[in-house]
Amino acid sequence: MKWFEIGLVSLTLLSGLIWLLDRLVFAKRRARRAGLLEASEPVLVDYARSFFPILAAVLILRSFIAEPFRIPSSSMMPTLLIGDFILVNKFSYGLRLPINNHKVIAIGEPERGDVVVFRPPHHPDQDWIKRVIGLPGDTIAYRDNTVYVNGEAFDYSDGGAYEGRGRGQEMTGATLLREEMPGRSHEVLEITGLPFRDPGEGEWTVRPGHYFVMGDNRDRSDDSRFWGELPESQLRGKAFLIWMNWDGAAGGVGFDRIGRSIR
């Protein structure tokens, strides 16, 4: 995704520069040379003039308003399935420049329970998606499939056995739980009866300017339990809508998921 951003920014700047230089310099020279005749516009300038407004509009839209992402893994099941196409609000946590992700205007900060897209510190060229569990200053613990925030355990209710579909069928039979955190709730998956201790168990204190993130598919998620806290500077935006689902293994388009809000 980062290379796409670089390409989009480069093409936008190049086409805009060509169009601007032609208007300020070369168009006047052509007009003087042509005299009473109509000066013909070079093909390169014609393309630049045609494509610059389109490229600029796409750049502004995906950099500052909303950007599409595709879910490639099962780490956020059952909230997000493999093949979900989602929209991410790019200004929820401040306006950021493309490519370097530098925040130029502060607008808001993540809240506990938000589903966020970010670039993990150990894979800065990739876009990942997880749920915010811990805020700056929180002490987070994960033991016996239970999340604790500042010593208080989240409440859980059993939703029965989960039935996967498509490329997510491997999670069929996992336990579906509703996790209650202050102010909101969501569903998570747990694989019970594992013959070994969960390697993701532990306790962490979230540093200022960082967040603790976890996947909803707790036993199939590479998250803050393993690689540490997420720096605020790596945030990309807040996921808010599923606009399409395509999973060939599940028979194509999942019409029942179109238009679902992400909570």
Side-chain angles (χ1 to χ4, degrees):
M1 293 299 289
K2 191 171 184 177
W3 288 110
F4 179 82
E5 276 191 347
I6 293 173
L8 179 60
V9 170
S10 300
L11 287 173
T12 303
L13 292 176
L14 180 61
S15 60
L17 181 61
I18 291 172
W19 186 20
L20 180 63
L21 284 175
D22 183 73
R23 291 200 54 151
L24 295 178
V25 180
F26 300 112
K28 295 178 181 178
R29 293 180 181 177
R30 288 197 306 272
R32 286 197 298 268
R33 287 197 302 265
L36 297 177
L37 300 176
E38 183 178 351
S40 60
E41 187 176 70
V43 174
L44 180 60
V45 175
D46 181 52
Y47 278 123
R49 179 172 52 82
S50 300
F51 284 106
F52 172 71
I54 299 172
L55 292 170
V58 172
L59 179 62
I60 292 171
L61 177 65
R62 75 184 304 275
S63 297
F64 304 113
I65 301 175
E67 183 175 1
F69 288 90
R70 183 177 184 272
I71 304 300
S73 74
S74 64
S75 71
M76 281 298 292
M77 291 174 62
T79 305
L80 296 171
L81 306 183
I82 299 173
D84 278 347
F85 289 80
I86 66 172
L87 286 178
V88 174
N89 186 325
K90 297 303 293 287
F91 57 84
S92 289
Y93 310 134
L95 295 182
R96 300 173 184 268
L97 296 176
I99 302 178
N100 66 6
N101 205 44
H102 176 71
K103 184 189 290 188
V104 291
I105 300 176
I107 296 177
E109 301 294 339
E111 298 179 358
R112 197 184 323 278
D114 285 358
V115 177
V116 299
V117 170
F118 59 92
R119 287 178 176 160
H122 56 306
H123 291 293
D125 292 331
Q126 299 178 9
D127 292 314
W128 287 22
I129 185 167
K130 305 292 180 188
R131 188 180 298 275
V132 174
I133 301 296
L135 304 177
D138 283 344
T139 296
I140 305 298
Y142 184 69
R143 295 188 294 268
D144 296 326
N145 295 332
T146 300
V147 175
Y148 297 80
V149 176
N150 300 322
E152 297 291 329
F154 288 165
D155 291 327
Y156 295 85
S157 56
D158 193 337
Y162 180 75
E163 182 177 349
R165 71 184 198 185
R167 284 181 288 166
Q169 286 183 348
E170 66 171 2
M171 296 308 300
T172 295
T175 301
L176 180 66
L177 299 170
R178 177 157 291 278
E179 183 176 75
E180 303 285 344
M181 60 172 58
R184 67 175 74 186
S185 66
H186 58 274
E187 293 180 327
V188 299
L189 293 181
E190 296 285 1
I191 301 176
T192 56
L194 291 174
F196 50 84
R197 180 178 178 272
D198 190 339
E201 292 190 345
E203 184 172 302
W204 308 264
T205 298
V206 186
R207 292 171 291 168
H210 291 72
Y211 296 90
F212 195 91
V213 296
M214 294 176 65
D216 289 348
N217 191 354
R218 294 289 158 78
D219 297 297
R220 294 292 186 270
S221 176
D222 183 10
D223 50 43
S224 287
R225 293 172 293 172
F226 306 100
W227 45 260
E229 305 142 282
L230 170 68
E232 188 276 340
S233 60
Q234 298 298 99
L235 287 168
R236 302 275 288 157
K238 178 182 177 181
F240 70 95
L241 182 72
I242 299 171
W243 61 273
M244 192 180 77
N245 172 277
W246 175 268
D247 184 351
V253 177
F255 291 100
D256 59 318
R257 298 190 61 76
I258 295 175
R260 285 193 182 189
S261 59
I262 300 172
R263 298 186 176 89

